[in-house]
Amino acid sequence: MKGIDYFAPPRLEEAVSLLRRYGKKAALMAGGTDFLLRLERGLVQPGVIVDLKKIRDLRGIKSNRAGLKIGAATLMDEIASSHLIQTRYGILAKGAAAVGSIQTRNRATLGGNLCNASPAADTASPLIALGGRARIAGAKRVREVPLEEFFLGPGKSCLQPNEILKEIFIPSPVQRSAGSFQRCTRTAMDIALVNCAVFLSLASKGGVVQDIRIVLGAVAPTPVRVQAAEDVLRGKNPDEKTIEEAADCAAAGVRPIDDVRSSASYRRAMVRVLTKRAIEEALREAGGEA
Amino acid sequence: MARRTKRIRVTVNGERYEKEVSPSKSLLDFLRMDLNLTGTKEGCGEGECGACSIIMNGKLVDSCLILTVEADGQKIQTIEGISRHDRLHPLQKAFAEKGAAQCGYCTPGMIMAAKYLLDHNPSPTAEQVLKAIAGNLCRCTGYGSIVDAVLSAAKER
Amino acid sequence: MKVVGQGLPRVEILEKVTGESVFGADVRLAAPILIGKILGSPHAHARIKSIDARKAERLPGVKAVVTAQDLPPVKYGRFVRDEEYFAHKKVRLVGDKIAAVAAIDEETAEEAIKLIKVEYEVLPHFTDGVEAMREGAALIHEEYDQYQALSMVEGRKGNICYHKQTVQGDTNRGFQEAERIFEHSFYAPMVHQTYIEPHAVLARVDASGKATVWVPTQAQFFIRASIAEIFQLPLIKVRVIPTEIGGGFGGKMLPTIEPAAVALARKSGMAVQIVMSRAEDFQVANPRTPCHLRYKTGVKLDGTIMAREVELVFGTGAYCGNGLVICQRAEMLASGPYRIPNVKIDLFCAYTNHANCGPYRAPSGPQISFASESQIDIIARELNLDPVEMRLKNAIEEGDTTPACGGPLKSVHAKETLLKAAEAAGWKERRREKNRGRGIALGYWLVGGMASSAGVKLNEDGTATVMTGVIDLSGTVTSLGQIVAEVLGVELDDVHVRTADSDFAPHSTISAGSQALRSMGSATKWAAEEVKKQIMEVAADKLEAEVSDLVVEGKRVYVKGSPERGLSLGQVGQLSLTHKRGPIVSIQSVSIFPNQPAISAHVTDVEVNPETGAVKVLRYVAAQDVGTAINPLSVMGQVQGAVIQGLGQALTEECIFQNGRMINPTFLDYKIFSSLDAPRVEVHLVEHAAEDGPFGAKGIGEPSIIPVPAAVANAVYDAVGVRISDLPLTAEKILMAIQEKNKSG
């Protein structure tokens, strides 16, 4: 850890040019709650830390007719306690509220949570379910990537060496839509063994599912959509049997591993339980009535 | 490799400091080693136990997961800064009376977490207290007496 | 009583709530302090082929590097001399100490550690006691036969560090007389005390060669003796200054990093601080011994227990350390708080390739209770008996004995404690609800007393100072002050009591075994009574009265019936300086005293989620037999805290090993309870002044953790009909058991 240099540029362009100047030696940091752990454990050994917190453009929650923009360096607690997000994009607020303690949420940022690319990230599943898109700033331009394509593997995102995640865009939810975020943990304060976000919309009348996204965390190298399970429900007015079929389908469609926190088979069982719960809750919320 | 240092200005408990620090030094180490404010504790160094909780610019944070250089220009409050001379903060009084500190190692961080709660919510429910201290591990009390103390301090204030 | 029995705040509480208290890593000196780091083995079991520390020594900023060559060739150990401080021939656990460095800062010290090159030849390792005990298993200590050991260390063979069989009656006959026989196996894994303050030490060696060590420890005189032994110094050349201690729970008794700090301080000529990281603390700092338990119990159909055979296998770790404390305790506790005519207990303690295990709050208690009380529950259900009735039928009474308890037991309140818990929980009035269950369990603990001494002096203004070296864990020091205040007729504020260091304190017992208050409190009380006598002696001369006519009360001493004929204690203090007897002071000693049971009875209500297996504790009722509660605030705090720790053991806590390395050495993956997991604990005290102990106090620090895992396991069975026999009762295990049960119909 000796001889590390530190920059906290006030503008995004400066951060990008620092990345260009230092190349592989440079590491980006936002809240630092995850980065500093890895630094302490020697898992990253950067020569230069580029702190993104001072960049105004990376902060804040803005909404318009098209949808919601959240700056990558926006604090987890700001997201969890934003009235707008709680009411319009509730599953994201719930995901953000599940990240660590209040101490952590007061430092950790949305961008940090996503760029760490942990398969268990509690904001990733809700954002994918909501159809979120990552806006990524490079040297020349800003590109946009659907969040489900953002993650490549544990700790690996699609960010190129000179790129910085700028903001997340979430399209406005359509009429009669709702979601649910579920997680399973060992104790109350815990990383998710499995998380599940469902977001669905119903046809203008009745209980037919028009569109649905089911996203699972911590059961594959990246957060994953289980489209086969979505297909079970799309275009149907689901009864209990259909929901169970979808949950079974989700459980069959994931690739969990055994680790110190849980066995793969328990994770798979929890995928089934959480998916079912999430679909049921989302349907209830979207229909306005159970 | 040559050691780089950065100059920072920081206000801690109302005192202004200007110091040269290594960019890799944690804010916790800076408080404990450079300023000798040893009331803030290290329990894990990994942001899991909350013993190092401080209030920075009005926000409760774990000082073990912050670099000192990040605190440049910030206002910090530690356990040493919440009472003046012999005038205890109501939380400190309540912790003493309710048996909310046993070994006392988690206590400074716990009190800072409770203070952050009361600063934002002067009359919390027991459930809100439990949530507010969820990032602060205590191995002695089982938390019940801590909740009692925070509720009693809220009444006092 | 005026002061004893009051729930007064702890005497040191203001320092604690203001952050002024000085804990292990908080000690600062005028002189600069070096940072020390220890190189631990990456292998669980390996031969050391070579150690080369030359590069580390040459690194700028490094002030000392020490290895086995820097220490006298001493084998040490409390029970067995099986440990050398720095390994040089073999390493026997991940983290076994090989070398230490002291440098001007942490980064340099860490860099130096990486520069030390060690070549290993890796050997097969065992982290399970049963495996290590198998015929032909690779030996962890090849020369075990030749090690010196205390004479109580029986049955040494292969990797078996200790084996003892204890018999009471004749179990063969007992099983013949029984109408049903039950046999069950259980397992309790290694768990860690996880005090929030990791081990820390600061050491300095002065020009005369005297070592001064600041350390948070439960046993300053142990630490002093160990350092003296390792460095071959007389005790007066080692001074241990106990700092405030951020939790111990049994894990801060034996030396860990202290000798390394002393060695580095001696070699560098500077003060050296070593603070363990949380991961190091998990990996090497004396966690709780994992244990296999087998219980065979024979009963009559009316529930009377006729015979019990118990076999316990403890994996003690790479060195014996304090491991046999657990065996000694287990021998006393294994058959439970029951009157059983025929008992046989087999205790095995095996060497294993992980950290030296040792005591953790009520050593062996929760493990034994988990097995024993789970089985009692099973038996009661099989015989269609109420679990409370079955326990009442067999519970010990005044004058009964249990194996190794040391004679007929006095101050026994097992039945009353059991009934109190049952009544408080509304045992009989419960309503059955789906997936909800209720469990009950008893805890058995014996509190004795150990050799201790303490002093009391009267100051010239009438205040009193207590001289003690006991470490304050559970509020003991405050209670000592209350005892002195009570005897001298003053307020707690008139008494100064703090822990003195090993140079100045009279020999004090360890803060462990829930006996510190009984032992130290007795010595302190006698010293206070002697001081009171001296006060009366001095006053009698001045007042021209008979000593027997004097009363000491309300900070005064006066003639019975005429309060105006008296002196303030301040006046007495002044007078004593010119009186023929001189300053008023007394130091008194106590020796070992007999065991008394401190019984716990717990009832808990849980809800099990049948889809996830997760357990939610809905209600927790704890009744505790405490003798006299010297300080009810401290007592309640001990019970509540112990229960929450016990719930961790029951549901979530476990050190998990892979290739001999603990793979969850973080609070992220070693799950202790947070505020959101902890239920409110309803505490009910059973108070009857005990035969021994100051003002009739029994021990309180440990017993309330004992029945928790069993109570939870019994409640889980009651809720969903599955019996988990290995701790912790994780959601995953419960779900699998539920699915298994559903499959088999």
Side-chain angles (χ1 to χ4, degrees):
Chain A
M1 274 186 7
K2 268 188 189 177
I4 291 182
D5 210 345
Y6 168 88
F7 297 96
R11 282 153 31 88
L12 189 57
E13 299 76 59
E14 286 171 53
V16 174
S17 71
L18 281 167
L19 284 186
R20 287 225 320 257
R21 176 155 24 122
Y22 290 102
K24 280 193 177 149
K25 273 175 64 190
L28 293 175
M29 175 177 89
T33 50
D34 202 87
F35 175 77
L36 293 177
L37 267 185
R38 283 184 285 145
L39 188 70
E40 177 67 31
R41 292 178 185 161
L43 301 176
V44 285
Q45 290 170 325
V48 172
I49 294 172
V50 180
D51 185 348
L52 302 172
K53 278 191 297 294
K54 296 250 162 81
I55 302 173
R56 267 237 203 111
D57 285 356
L58 292 187
R59 299 195 68 154
I61 300 164
K62 287 184 203 104
S63 145
N64 62 21
R65 285 249 300 279
L68 185 75
K69 278 195 309 192
I70 307 174
T74 305
L75 293 182
M76 219 42 101
D77 188 58
E78 289 167 8
I79 294 166
S81 51
S82 152
H83 182 69
L84 175 70
I85 296 180
Q86 283 172 356
T87 49
R88 301 254 301 162
Y89 309 89
I91 56 173
L92 175 59
K94 282 193 184 137
V99 175
S101 61
I102 179 63
Q103 286 92 329
T104 301
R105 294 192 297 279
N106 274 338
R107 285 305 279 179
T109 65
L110 181 64
N113 195 231
L114 297 173
C115 292
N116 288 328
S118 156
D122 285 312
T123 58
S125 314
L127 280 172
I128 294 172
L130 288 165
R133 302 174 74 80
R135 290 180 176 161
I136 298 165
K140 301 241 163 64
R141 62 187 184 99
V142 173
R143 66 184 175 113
E144 196 171 291
V145 177
L147 260 180
E148 52 191 299
E149 292 165 25
F150 183 79
F151 305 102
L152 302 181
K156 242 180 121 207
S157 72
C158 71
L159 284 184
Q160 296 298 309
N162 292 344
E163 290 184 327
I164 293 172
L165 177 64
K166 182 170 180 259
E167 66 193 18
I168 301 298
F169 171 77
I170 313 171
S172 277
V174 299
Q175 290 286 313
R176 300 197 77 210
S177 62
S180 172
F181 178 69
Q182 303 286 334
R183 66 204 294 270
C184 168
T185 58
R186 295 162 294 182
T187 55
M189 299 296 292
D190 197 8
I191 187 167
L193 302 182
V194 177
N195 71 33
C196 174
V198 165
F199 194 76
L200 56 80
S201 56
L202 299 180
S204 55
K205 266 188 208 155
V208 172
V209 174
Q210 195 157 33
D211 201 5
I212 181 166
R213 284 180 172 226
I214 301 173
V215 188
L216 292 156
V219 289
T222 64
V224 285
R225 260 184 86 176
V226 277
Q227 305 205 7
E230 296 170 1
D231 292 342
V232 172
L233 296 166
R234 203 174 283 115
K236 295 215 186 78
N237 189 346
D239 56 8
E240 202 186 320
K241 220 180 119 224
T242 332
I243 295 171
E244 283 193 1
E245 196 187 322
D248 286 339
C249 205
V254 293
R255 291 180 289 149
I257 53 163
D258 288 316
D259 66 13
V260 72
R261 293 168 193 147
S262 168
S263 72
S265 63
Y266 186 70
R267 283 198 166 99
R268 199 181 292 279
M270 289 307 98
V271 165
R272 196 180 173 284
V273 172
L274 298 190
T275 305
K276 181 163 174 269
R277 279 187 199 166
I279 295 167
E280 284 169 351
E281 188 183 67
L283 281 171
R284 257 195 325 266
E285 300 272 318
E289 202 57 51
Chain B
M1 199 190 289
R3 256 177 236 211
R4 296 191 182 88
T5 59
K6 291 263 171 187
R7 175 163 292 270
I8 62 150
R9 291 192 190 86
V10 59
T11 305
V12 182
N13 299 330
E15 295 275 331
R16 295 177 60 177
Y17 297 91
E18 197 169 327
K19 295 256 180 190
E20 290 283 334
V21 297
S22 152
S24 59
K25 180 175 246 169
S26 76
L27 182 55
L28 174 61
D29 282 350
F30 174 75
L31 293 170
R32 290 179 49 82
M33 305 292 194
D34 296 30
L35 304 188
N36 264 330
L37 295 170
T38 54
T40 306
K41 305 299 180 197
E42 176 160 346
C44 68
E46 303 192 324
E48 295 287 339
C49 78
C52 65
S53 298
I54 58 165
I55 294 177
M56 182 158 87
N57 276 8
K59 287 197 185 299
L60 185 75
V61 292
D62 288 328
S63 59
C64 72
L65 288 188
I66 296 176
L67 297 173
T68 314
V69 285
E70 294 180 75
D72 186 24
Q74 316 273 312
K75 281 202 180 78
I76 287 169
Q77 195 176 37
T78 69
I79 186 69
E80 289 92 346
I82 72 163
S83 54
R84 260 181 239 128
H85 305 296
D86 54 349
R87 272 209 7 240
L88 293 179
H89 189 279
L91 277 165
Q92 292 172 311
K93 239 179 103 207
F95 267 61
E97 282 163 5
K98 299 286 180 189
Q102 287 184 22
C103 85
Y105 197 78
C106 75
T107 307
M110 194 67 81
I111 290 179
M112 296 311 284
K115 180 179 185 294
Y116 178 72
L117 169 71
L118 296 189
D119 286 350
H120 293 84
N121 179 1
S123 44
T125 62
E127 253 177 33
Q128 288 168 328
V129 176
L130 288 170
K131 270 195 173 169
I133 60 169
N136 295 73
L137 295 175
C138 169
R139 192 62 159 166
C140 296
T141 63
Y143 304 101
S145 54
I146 295 174
V147 174
D148 293 345
V150 177
L151 294 176
S152 142
K155 269 195 206 140
E156 280 288 302
R157 269 173 30 139
Chain C
M1 288 190 287
K2 289 185 172 143
V3 189
V4 163
Q6 300 292 316
L8 300 170
R10 294 165 76 126
V11 291
E12 78 294 354
I13 196 71
L14 294 184
E15 292 107 280
K16 283 183 175 166
V17 298
T18 52
E20 280 173 23
S21 294
V22 175
F23 290 87
D26 299 340
V27 183
R28 300 287 181 268
L29 302 175
I33 295 173
L34 301 176
I35 301 296
K37 290 272 167 200
I38 291 177
L39 172 66
S41 159
H43 303 293
H45 195 191
R47 234 176 281 290
I48 297 173
K49 290 161 74 182
S50 67
I51 302 171
D52 183 353
R54 282 169 301 180
K55 271 192 181 164
E57 280 165 353
R58 288 198 297 264
L59 185 72
V62 170
K63 300 293 182 185
V65 177
V66 290
T67 61
Q69 292 177 343
D70 296 275
L71 297 183
V74 173
K75 276 198 167 63
Y76 66 97
R78 189 175 164 208
F79 294 93
V80 182
R81 293 177 176 277
D82 60 358
E83 189 165 5
E84 286 174 280
Y85 187 74
F86 286 117
H88 55 103
K89 288 186 193 145
K90 252 179 105 171
V91 288
R92 297 181 173 91
L93 68 131
V94 169
D96 214 354
K97 303 172 295 296
I98 295 162
V101 301
I104 52 166
D105 58 25
E106 193 173 356
E107 291 178 359
T108 310
E110 276 168 0
E111 214 175 313
I113 285 289
K114 285 185 201 141
L115 293 176
I116 301 174
K117 292 286 165 256
V118 185
E119 279 187 294
Y120 300 96
E121 178 196 333
V122 176
L123 300 167
H125 69 268
F126 308 98
T127 45
D128 182 80
V130 171
E131 272 176 43
M133 276 172 31
R134 284 216 177 101
E135 247 347 275
L139 293 180
I140 295 171
H141 291 271
E142 285 90 345
E143 299 118 47
Y144 186 43
D145 314 353
Q146 292 141 49
Y147 292 170
Q148 289 175 22
L150 297 185
S151 59
M152 54 84 53
V153 186
E154 323 175 358
R156 297 159 65 176
K157 189 180 166 216
N159 284 329
I160 300 173
C161 171
Y162 173 78
H163 170 220
K164 184 177 185 190
Q165 189 173 77
T166 300
V167 179
Q168 170 179 296
D170 176 352
T171 48
N172 286 333
R173 203 184 59 214
F175 285 126
Q176 274 165 18
E177 285 164 8
E179 291 167 298
R180 292 281 303 272
I181 294 172
F182 296 85
E183 270 191 270
H184 297 97
S185 295
F186 300 88
Y187 180 67
M190 181 193 289
V191 291
H192 196 282
Q193 298 85 351
T194 64
Y195 29 75
I196 309 296
E197 178 198 33
H199 281 261
V201 64
L202 177 69
R204 186 170 66 180
V205 178
D206 69 19
S208 77
K210 177 160 181 165
T212 302
V213 178
W214 290 262
V215 60
T217 173
Q218 297 174 243
Q220 58 164 317
F221 293 98
F222 263 10
I223 299 288
R224 179 176 72 161
S226 304
I227 292 171
E229 188 176 15
I230 290 167
F231 290 90
Q232 298 285 290
L233 294 169
L235 291 175
I236 54 168
K237 286 290 186 189
V238 181
R239 180 181 181 190
V240 173
I241 304 182
T243 65
E244 201 60 71
I245 176 169
F249 312 114
K252 291 180 180 162
M253 300 230 268
L254 293 186
T256 53
I257 47 182
E258 298 84 351
V262 171
L264 290 167
R266 192 167 68 165
K267 195 160 180 184
S268 67
M270 294 174 73
V272 176
Q273 183 187 55
I274 304 179
V275 180
M276 276 193 195
S277 69
R278 179 54 63 181
E280 283 176 298
D281 202 302
F282 268 119
Q283 201 77 248
V284 302
N286 313 328
R288 184 186 84 178
T289 327
C291 182
H292 294 271
L293 309 98
R294 250 190 32 216
Y295 272 74
K296 180 177 173 189
T297 303
V299 292
K300 293 274 192 196
L301 292 177
D302 69 355
T304 308
I305 305 175
M306 300 307 295
R308 206 161 206 200
E309 282 183 3
V310 182
E311 186 188 285
L312 305 178
V313 178
F314 294 101
T316 197
Y319 305 98
C320 181
N322 239 342
L324 298 195
V325 170
I326 286 81
C327 294
Q328 288 177 316
R329 276 284 154 184
E331 186 184 355
M332 290 189 251
L333 306 178
S335 57
Y338 300 113
R339 181 194 285 170
I340 307 176
N342 308 294
V343 178
K344 187 162 94 183
I345 301 165
D346 269 286
L347 292 159
F348 293 90
C349 189
Y351 281 119
T352 39
N353 294 111
H354 53 61
N356 292 5
C357 288
Y360 172 14
R361 202 172 199 162
S364 83
Q367 301 100 301
I368 280 171
S369 169
F370 171 60
S372 163
E373 292 292 293
S374 290
Q375 192 184 47
I376 297 283
D377 210 62
I378 294 168
I379 297 171
R381 282 171 189 279
E382 282 287 319
L383 302 181
N384 270 320
L385 296 171
D386 180 273
V388 173
E389 293 301 324
M390 160 116 193
R391 287 173 171 89
L392 275 178
K393 185 178 266 305
N394 294 288
I396 47 168
E397 289 187 68
E398 199 73 13
D400 280 346
T401 57
T402 56
C405 73
L409 294 167
K410 291 180 175 171
S411 306
V412 182
H413 306 290
K415 292 185 179 177
E416 185 184 341
T417 309
L418 176 60
L419 287 171
K420 189 147 197 166
E423 192 189 330
W427 181 259
K428 289 197 171 133
E429 300 95 63
R430 66 172 302 204
R431 227 180 63 222
R432 272 226 76 98
E433 284 175 84
K434 202 162 183 250
N435 300 321
R436 289 190 173 194
R438 172 172 286 182
I440 189 163
L442 277 182
Y444 188 33
W445 189 248
L446 291 163
V447 283
M450 288 164 80
S452 299
S453 53
V456 176
K457 60 181 179 180
L458 186 75
N459 299 310
E460 309 89 277
D461 63 352
T463 58
T465 300
V466 184
M467 293 172 276
T468 172
V470 76
I471 306 300
D472 198 4
L473 290 176
S474 53
T476 307
V477 161
T478 302
S479 295
L480 295 185
Q482 286 177 269
I483 287 167
V484 170
E486 187 69 43
V487 172
L488 297 184
V490 299
E491 303 293 326
L492 180 57
D493 284 344
D494 300 316
V495 179
H496 174 79
V497 53
R498 286 295 158 47
T499 306
D501 70 62
S502 66
D503 269 2
F504 298 100
H507 187 92
S508 305
T509 181
I510 55 175
S511 289
S514 297
Q515 52 71 49
L517 177 61
R518 272 165 74 79
S519 314
M520 293 302 297
S522 298
T524 306
K525 185 164 177 256
W526 294 353
E529 281 163 354
E530 175 60 26
V531 160
K532 184 175 164 183
K533 255 191 232 157
Q534 296 176 16
I535 289 170
M536 296 202 286
E537 217 179 291
V538 172
D541 281 354
K542 178 73 179 175
L543 298 171
E544 296 175 344
E546 289 297 318
V547 164
S548 57
D549 286 337
L550 295 181
V551 182
V552 180
E553 189 185 59
K555 306 187 196 183
R556 283 171 56 78
V557 49
Y558 58 87
V559 179
K560 220 176 280 172
S562 31
E564 71 293 346
R565 242 185 98 198
L567 297 165
S568 71
L569 293 189
Q571 287 171 312
V572 176
Q574 286 288 347
L575 273 174
S576 73
L577 302 183
T578 51
H579 186 270
K580 61 179 185 263
R581 67 149 299 114
I584 293 175
V585 60
S586 169
I587 294 181
Q588 297 291 325
S589 296
V590 295
S591 186
I592 297 166
F593 43 99
N595 282 320
Q596 287 174 349
I599 301 289
S600 329
H602 292 188
V603 178
T604 183
D605 292 344
V606 305
E607 180 168 49
V608 179
N609 184 316
E611 285 185 332
T612 63
V615 175
K616 188 174 160 64
V617 179
L618 303 171
R619 188 176 178 208
Y620 206 99
V621 176
Q624 184 62 46
D625 159 29
V626 300
T628 301
I630 302 281
N631 184 324
L633 188 67
S634 295
V635 169
M636 301 298 257
Q638 289 303 307
V639 178
Q640 289 164 345
V643 168
I644 301 305
Q645 275 186 15
L647 286 173
Q649 292 183 9
L651 294 169
T652 57
E653 292 185 36
E654 176 181 17
C655 299
I656 303 170
F657 283 83
Q658 208 172 63
N659 295 326
R661 175 183 291 273
M662 181 179 169
I663 53 168
N664 59 333
T666 60
F667 282 133
L668 176 63
D669 284 320
Y670 184 94
K671 303 306 290 185
I672 73 172
F673 269 34
S674 76
S675 57
L676 294 174
D677 304 295
R680 274 279 167 166
V681 181
E682 300 167 36
V683 182
H684 300 272
L685 302 184
V686 174
E687 285 199 79
H688 298 290
E691 284 244 341
D692 308 297
F695 294 103
K698 285 186 179 176
I700 185 58
E702 292 166 307
S704 295
I705 198 170
I706 295 174
V708 185
V712 173
N714 292 342
V716 166
Y717 183 85
D718 192 49
V720 287
V722 299
R723 179 66 63 181
I724 309 294
S725 56
D726 58 323
L727 291 173
L729 278 65
T730 59
E732 177 164 352
K733 284 183 203 164
I734 293 173
L735 183 69
M736 278 173 56
I738 292 174
Q739 287 174 344
E740 201 58 36
K741 177 172 165 262
N742 291 345
K743 245 187 258 166
S744 57

